[in-house]
Amino acid sequence: MGRPQAPGARRDSTGQDSVRTLSKERKVFEWATPDSIMRELLDRAGYKKVQYQGDTVQFDALTRILTLHGKPSGVQRDETMLVGDSVVYNDSTKKVVALGDSVLLRDPTQADADDFIANGRIEYDLTSRQGLTGAFSTSVTSGQRLYLSARSSALVTDSVFAGRHIVYAKNGSFTYCDHTEPHFHFTTGEMKFISQNVMVARPGVLYIGEVPVFWIPFFFQDIRSGRRSGLLTPNFGMAELFRNSPSYRRSVQNIGYFVAINDYMNFETSFDWRSGARSSDADPGFIRGNAELRYKWLDRFANGEFAASYMGLRNGTTNTSYTWNHNQDFSRTTRLTARLNWVQNTMVQRATTVNPVAANATIRSQLNYQTKIGPAQINVGGSRVQYPGRTQVDMEFPSLNVTTGSLEAGPATWTPSLRLAMSGQSRIDQGLQFPFVYNARADGGIDSTRFNAGRRNTQFQFDTPIKLWDFQWQNSFTMNERFNDFPEQREVIGVNDTTQRSTRVFAKTFETNVDWQTSFNLPRFFQGTWNISPSITLANVENAAGLFTRTERSGGRWVQQSKRLNYSVSSSPTLYAMLPGVGPIARFRHSITPSITYSYSPQASVSDEFLQAMGRTRVGYVGALAQNRVGINLATNLEAKLRPPSDSVDQGDGAGRKIKLLSLNFSSITYDFVRADTLGNGIADRTFTIGGRTDLLPGFDFRASYDLFQGDIATDSATFDPYRTDFGVTFSLDSKSGLVALVGRLFGRKASLASDSLTQASRQNTNNQMVDRQSRNMNAAGGGTMRGMQQALPSGQGWNLNIQYNAARQRPVRGGLQIVNNPETLCQGQKQYGVLAYDLCVQNAQSAPPTGANSGQSAIGAPVFIQPPTQNVNATMSFNITQNWAAQWTTQYDAVRSRFSSQQIGLQRAMHDWNAVFSFSQTNSGSFAFNFFIALKAQPELKFNYDRQTYRSTNY
């Protein structure tokens, strides 16, 4: 026994629904080509034309009834045409009766008009434009095609708009599924359908297959094309209507209205609400208003949006945020891109979100203007960054870059470039030695006020390299300035007598360096083998400063250091060996690429004034010693060539695939013979790094960094003591990875040892790139920032695992003033604002350590800020439970504090017509949300969702 059909649905002998068949074949009826007499009659003005056509035509002159037989037969009067197996037309009453398995009513003058198809019979009055039908089927395009059918109906054609008809129907059904046996459909008792306008039905029962699952009192569907003004679809769950727990806090989002101003501009306003019943300091309840304006100016090649949001919490705290995005092309070479975000209270912004991406994402603004004048490419712009839950603001503006291509004049080539960058930080909230200003009150007490600390950096660089034949002359003019607008302590030591020590607190500290750097690169020789390159450089004695320097210790006076010649020669050959293979590997190729440099600089001297400005002493200073150095930088690769498949035709050496088994890169190590004779240790580099990767794990990468010396390397008190400061591992693993395939081969499973490199590259770090892109593109204002948390999960791609491990620590220092960055101590001043402010401050200090020059690296004699070690694991696991079920888990784990910083768990069911997502998310502040969401793909507003959001200030 077959499955029962939806009411009114009839299928032809091929098993296809009639409306589905006819909607795919628009040419269901064609008029015969008229002869010259017929053409003259049709074109005659002042007459109404009635056309009819059939295989057999009978006309009764007394009754004026015209009967047409044949498949198909048709009658057309003005813009109305009926087509059926047989048609009876009464010219006196202007009534038409069309009979047949599929009787069609159409306006042939409208190319995109919707076909109205009756199953069996249509009685239609051409004068009043009304008719009756039995069962009927029709379809309309509204995003996706909507299929409607009913057992009985009455039809009225609009007399104003050609081709539009109104249908009143009973016992109908409709669906968006285009399958012969639809996966779902709605049944309704009464329905009104206005072609190309609207469809209203009541009541509605949703059937999945043939099982009723949901009842709604009415159904409204706007089927007009284009954008229309109207109410937004509110976002709320069943728990808002029927609370399932006494502690549940109701919340509703997206209550508002959308206005389509014109085809190029629209506006929408909405508000969100969260109940304040049984409120707490962490979750007092709120109301938020949103407004968004979007525009697209075609003839100016401009588009963008402006959004504003205002949030008021029940405890009196408010937050206002703005967003403006604008893109405009002035010409082929001139473009303006603006993405501006501003948030008044970032603490409220972070405390009221349950989206981990929004909780960690910086509030970023960017402005860029690029143009081209002659050969010069000019980029002007800037950026501004706010941090969630923090007061600090980072700004880089203006930023100017001017580059040109190679300007040639005979054998000479000139490639100038200019860069100017000004950056700063305001309202710095971490990494300060004196964060508060204390003032005495009249009653004898003391008030504390947060110090409004700031920092400014200016960088200017002009490069003017000139190449004459194989000779290259590099010239660079630079100016760097760092200005700290906050008090900080300095230890001042006598330049020639270290017993003279004093401690001073400078209200402001600064350092300005002006420098000129030049070098000559002589022609290379033995290219392709030893690749030998000699050069001569005029270098500073003290590399950490410019030729001219001023600081707060010099009283703002300019002091000068010395320069000296540096002679160097470098060689970078490539050495390799071919080794026999084993198993599926035909052979190995091992290559070593060293870069060896020898340099010599004579002894020089610097003045006492310069050493005093830098905070150094003459005693123990070794920076001016002669330099006789050998440096080496090493890279090595081990590659494997796979054997071609046994069933393939041998194509020589290129038949097998090559993969990189292991690649290692070592940073440069420099040995100074003069330093070794003087200090007993010739190592002249402060840090050493090693990194590696392999194709066996897509995206695999590891690195380790070491601090080689305890103390200042420019003094004789430095001790060689390697200390690991950073370590990180990143890798991706899936069923197509080379390592998994190799293990599978060992157990007799046929699998490819390595997949295509482009496929691997597309898979690696997918989640991190998606999160980074989402966080950078997140708007600060607008209702859209709180919607769309349901992320589509990958399906049909097997399983994938992506893991990142990062560990960082700071070398313990000897002597001096050390300030431990203890979050509890730093946030004592926040207690006056409540428990929530204090908890958020502690969490921010733990998850976002201080930024800038004082985060571990300090000027000579300045306090050293000790940062706590960090160990974090970021992992993403996605897999398909079945062919249609996909799952994903994203987590951040703090190994130092033994807790999960954030969690995102998603479960998705892939269906033909619906999207179903189960998700759980938790931010590092402890706020979490559970969401169940199912929506119709064709009409996302038709959905069922359950949301439960809990705000709290402590993690679990």
Side-chain angles (χ1 to χ4, degrees):
M1 179 179 294
R3 295 177 58 188
Q5 299 180 10
R10 292 185 60 186
R11 289 170 172 78
D12 56 22
S13 58
T14 62
Q16 296 289 327
D17 184 89
S18 57
V19 69
R20 289 164 173 76
T21 303
L22 293 177
S23 64
K24 296 177 182 178
E25 301 177 3
R26 301 290 299 175
K27 294 183 179 181
V28 297
F29 185 83
E30 293 185 1
W31 294 102
T33 303
D35 56 18
S36 58
I37 299 176
M38 181 63 67
R39 172 54 58 191
E40 184 177 350
L41 292 173
L42 292 174
D43 295 339
R44 181 163 296 186
Y47 291 89
K48 288 187 177 182
K49 299 183 291 291
V50 178
Q51 289 180 267
Y52 55 89
Q53 179 176 300
D55 293 342
T56 303
V57 179
Q58 296 179 357
F59 179 70
D60 190 329
L62 296 177
T63 62
R64 301 184 64 82
I65 295 176
L66 181 69
T67 304
L68 308 175
H69 297 282
K71 188 175 183 179
S73 300
V75 172
Q76 178 177 344
R77 185 176 188 268
D78 297 331
E79 69 278 0
T80 303
M81 181 176 70
L82 284 89
V83 178
D85 294 346
S86 62
V87 178
V88 178
Y89 170 62
N90 191 323
D91 189 56
S92 299
T93 61
K94 301 299 185 291
K95 293 183 179 180
V96 181
V97 178
L99 305 173
D101 292 337
S102 297
V103 184
L104 180 142
L105 174 65
R106 174 188 289 180
D107 177 6
T109 64
Q110 303 292 322
D112 297 330
D114 303 308
D115 295 329
F116 183 86
I117 304 170
N119 299 319
R121 181 185 183 93
I122 292 182
E123 297 181 12
Y124 193 76
D125 190 326
L126 295 175
T127 303
S128 63
R129 301 176 183 274
Q130 298 181 4
L132 297 174
T133 71
F136 81 92
S137 299
T138 189
S139 66
V140 61
T141 301
S142 174
Q144 290 187 353
R145 184 164 288 274
L146 173 65
Y147 301 96
L148 303 99
S149 61
R151 295 190 182 279
S152 61
S153 66
L155 183 144
V156 178
T157 299
D158 197 303
S159 60
V160 179
F161 299 99
R164 176 173 295 179
H165 45 264
I166 302 174
V167 180
Y168 299 90
K170 289 187 176 182
N171 300 322
S173 70
F174 54 90
T175 181
Y176 290 94
C177 183
D178 57 359
H179 286 196
T180 304
E181 298 289 343
H183 294 160
F184 79 98
H185 66 275
F186 288 87
T187 62
T188 178
E190 298 178 343
M191 177 171 56
K192 178 181 179 180
F193 169 72
I194 303 178
S195 174
Q196 305 176 29
N197 192 1
V198 70
M199 189 270 288
V200 182
R202 67 175 186 182
V205 179
L206 170 64
Y207 282 79
I208 303 297
E210 297 301 329
V211 179
V213 296
F214 195 71
W215 176 90
I216 52 178
F218 67 91
F219 188 94
F220 174 86
Q221 177 62 54
D222 190 337
I223 54 178
R224 293 174 293 179
S225 60
R227 299 175 300 118
R228 301 291 176 179
S229 301
L231 295 173
L232 300 176
T233 304
N235 185 12
F236 62 92
M238 294 299 298
E240 271 65 43
L241 302 177
F242 308 101
R243 191 170 60 184
N244 55 5
S245 171
S247 61
Y248 183 76
R249 306 280 298 281
R250 290 187 172 95
S251 61
V252 182
Q253 296 178 354
N254 202 39
I255 301 178
Y257 195 81
F258 175 86
V259 181
I261 302 175
N262 52 45
D263 290 342
Y264 311 103
M265 186 179 298
N266 62 64
F267 174 80
E268 71 175 60
T269 180
S270 63
F271 76 90
D272 310 320
W273 169 83
R274 181 169 177 83
S275 171
R278 293 170 298 278
S279 62
S280 62
D281 291 339
D283 186 11
F286 60 80
I287 185 170
R288 174 174 44 231
N290 309 295
E292 298 178 64
L293 174 68
R294 303 180 185 90
Y295 56 89
K296 190 171 185 178
W297 198 351
L298 294 181
D299 58 355
R300 290 292 183 268
F301 301 97
N303 65 85
E305 62 177 333
F306 177 80
S309 294
Y310 176 83
M311 172 180 282
L313 276 65
R314 290 289 297 270
N315 59 10
T317 307
T318 62
N319 178 40
T320 304
S321 55
Y322 298 98
T323 291
W324 182 37
N325 298 323
H326 180 82
N327 299 290
Q328 185 170 0
D329 293 330
F330 299 96
S331 66
R332 294 180 59 184
T333 59
T334 304
R335 178 178 176 83
L336 173 67
T337 303
R339 186 176 186 86
L340 309 179
N341 291 282
W342 182 82
V343 173
Q344 174 194 13
N345 193 328
T346 59
M347 186 175 297
V348 173
Q349 183 264 350
R350 181 172 186 175
T352 55
T353 182
V354 293
N355 186 346
V357 177
N360 296 322
T362 56
I363 304 162
R364 183 178 299 272
S365 299
Q366 289 181 315
L367 177 65
N368 181 261
Y369 176 81
Q370 60 183 24
T371 187
K372 189 174 183 180
I373 302 177
Q377 182 71 38
I378 302 175
N379 286 271
V380 182
S383 64
R384 184 179 186 271
V385 177
Q386 292 179 270
Y387 297 90
R390 298 177 58 186
T391 60
Q392 180 171 312
V393 177
D394 295 352
M395 178 175 289
E396 183 177 348
F397 185 84
S399 176
L400 171 65
N401 288 276
V402 181
T403 59
T404 65
S406 298
L407 306 178
E408 298 181 357
T413 303
W414 182 40
T415 312
S417 64
L418 181 143
R419 180 177 183 269
L420 172 66
M422 298 183 64
S423 61
Q425 298 172 327
S426 61
R427 303 176 66 185
I428 300 175
D429 55 357
Q430 298 180 29
L432 298 176
Q433 184 182 5
F434 305 103
F436 296 98
V437 176
Y438 299 95
N439 299 305
R441 297 200 304 262
D443 58 359
I446 297 178
D447 281 336
S448 62
T449 305
R450 185 81 186 184
F451 195 88
N452 188 12
R455 180 184 291 115
R456 184 183 72 247
N457 297 305
T458 304
Q459 296 179 339
F460 172 82
Q461 182 173 345
F462 176 62
D463 293 331
T464 171
I466 298 176
K467 181 179 180 181
L468 184 62
W469 292 290
D470 290 335
F471 295 87
Q472 292 186 2
W473 180 23
Q474 302 284 344
N475 275 288
S476 178
F477 301 88
T478 61
M479 191 279 290
N480 297 307
E481 182 180 53
R482 185 183 68 220
F483 180 81
N484 298 325
D485 189 12
F486 51 83
E488 195 167 60
Q489 178 179 309
R490 294 286 192 271
E491 184 182 16
V492 181
I493 305 175
V495 176
N496 296 298
D497 185 1
T498 57
T499 61
Q500 298 179 2
R501 296 173 178 263
S502 62
T503 300
R504 295 181 58 184
V505 176
F506 292 90
K508 300 177 181 179
T509 58
F510 60 90
E511 180 180 343
T512 308
N513 294 292
V514 176
D515 197 13
W516 166 59
Q517 298 175 355
T518 184
S519 64
F520 298 89
N521 295 327
L522 303 180
R524 293 184 177 185
F525 52 94
F526 296 117
Q527 294 192 36
T529 54
W530 295 99
N531 299 321
I532 297 177
S533 302
S535 64
I536 302 174
T537 304
L538 190 62
N540 295 331
V541 176
E542 179 63 44
N543 294 326
L547 179 61
F548 301 95
T549 300
R550 66 171 185 172
T551 67
E552 76 282 346
R553 302 195 195 197
S554 68
R557 294 180 294 105
W558 290 96
V559 296
Q560 179 182 353
Q561 67 164 312
S562 302
K563 283 186 175 289
R564 58 182 171 182
L565 290 173
N566 177 272
Y567 309 92
S568 65
V569 59
S570 63
S571 176
S572 55
T574 299
L575 310 175
Y576 67 91
M578 307 302 295
L579 305 175
V582 60
I585 299 175
R587 61 180 177 177
F588 295 94
R589 183 181 186 272
H590 184 212
S591 64
I592 301 177
T593 306
S595 178
I596 305 173
T597 302
Y598 171 77
S599 63
Y600 174 80
S601 296
Q603 185 173 354
S605 63
V606 292
S607 63
D608 291 345
E609 292 79 7
F610 176 79
L611 292 176
Q612 181 180 1
M614 297 300 297
R616 298 190 179 279
T617 64
R618 179 72 64 183
V619 179
Y621 180 70
V622 297
L625 291 176
Q627 297 178 355
N628 188 13
R629 297 180 172 182
V630 174
I632 182 171
N633 181 284
L634 184 64
T636 179
N637 293 290
L638 179 61
E639 298 177 328
K641 180 180 178 182
L642 304 180
R643 299 184 188 276
S646 58
D647 55 352
S648 65
V649 179
D650 187 9
Q651 299 177 359
D653 294 341
R657 181 181 300 168
K658 297 178 182 179
I659 61 173
K660 187 176 295 183
L661 298 179
L662 181 63
S663 175
L664 296 176
N665 291 278
F666 304 88
S667 66
S668 176
I669 285 291
T670 303
Y671 187 86
D672 192 328
F673 296 96
V674 177
R675 185 183 180 92
D677 293 340
T678 305
L679 305 178
N681 189 317
I683 302 297
D685 291 299
R686 177 78 197 191
T687 60
F688 175 76
T689 61
I690 179 175
R693 62 178 53 213
T694 177
D695 286 346
L696 295 178
L697 288 176
F700 176 82
D701 180 52
F702 73 90
R703 70 186 185 282
S705 301
Y706 294 87
D707 186 357
L708 300 181
F709 286 90
Q710 175 78 62
D712 189 355
I713 193 175
T715 65
D716 58 3
S717 61
T719 304
F720 183 75
D721 183 16
Y723 184 85
R724 181 184 58 80
T725 57
D726 180 74
F727 179 76
V729 176
T730 302
F731 71 91
S732 299
L733 198 64
D734 59 24
S735 58
K736 299 180 181 179
S737 300
L739 182 61
V740 176
L742 183 61
V743 174
R745 281 194 173 189
L746 295 178
F747 288 92
R749 179 183 176 185
K750 293 183 179 181
S752 175
L753 184 61
S755 57
D756 185 78
S757 59
L758 294 178
T759 304
Q760 295 180 7
S762 64
R763 293 197 306 265
Q764 64 182 0
N765 298 329
T766 300
N767 182 73
N768 296 324
Q769 295 172 4
M770 179 190 68
V771 172
D772 180 71
R773 183 168 55 251
Q774 182 181 357
S775 62
R776 288 180 176 270
N777 294 335
M778 186 169 292
N779 291 337
T785 60
M786 304 305 299
R787 302 191 294 269
M789 290 182 58
Q790 290 79 23
Q791 298 292 331
L793 304 182
S795 59
Q797 299 181 1
W799 61 273
N800 179 274
L801 175 65
N802 182 279
I803 295 179
Q804 281 190 345
Y805 171 78
N806 296 283
R809 59 179 182 173
Q810 184 179 345
R811 175 195 283 275
V813 297
R814 295 184 304 194
L817 177 61
Q818 302 178 23
I819 301 177
V820 179
N821 182 26
N822 188 338
E824 287 75 14
T825 303
L826 292 174
C827 298
Q828 285 295 325
Q830 297 292 330
K831 286 188 174 180
Q832 60 180 321
Y833 303 109
V835 178
L836 175 61
Y838 174 76
D839 289 342
L840 284 176
C841 179
V842 172
Q843 294 158 16
N844 293 331
Q846 292 174 348
S847 60
T851 59
N854 284 343
S855 57
Q857 299 294 332
S858 300
I860 299 174
V864 178
F865 289 83
I866 307 300
Q867 306 299 331
T870 61
Q871 291 188 61
N872 298 297
V873 179
N874 300 332
T876 299
M877 178 68 179
S878 61
F879 56 94
N880 290 97
I881 303 175
T882 64
Q883 182 179 0
N884 296 320
W885 281 97
Q888 180 170 292
W889 175 37
T890 301
T891 184
Q892 295 180 350
Y893 181 75
D894 189 337
V896 174
R897 300 174 180 87
S898 300
R899 71 177 188 184
F900 288 93
S901 300
S902 65
Q903 299 270 16
Q904 283 183 292
I905 301 174
L907 187 64
Q908 176 177 285
R909 174 67 162 89
M911 292 181 286
H912 178 251
D913 302 290
W914 299 81
N915 278 327
V917 177
F918 305 82
S919 65
F920 170 83
S921 63
Q922 177 176 353
T923 67
N924 51 10
S925 65
S927 301
F928 64 90
F930 173 78
N931 175 264
F932 167 68
F933 176 86
I934 182 170
L936 188 63
K937 290 181 180 179
Q939 296 295 331
E941 293 83 3
L942 186 60
K943 59 183 172 51
F944 173 86
N945 65 297
Y946 172 82
D947 295 285
R948 186 181 182 94
Q949 302 176 358
T950 300
Y951 299 84
R952 61 186 184 187
S953 60
T954 55
N955 209 331
Y956 63 92

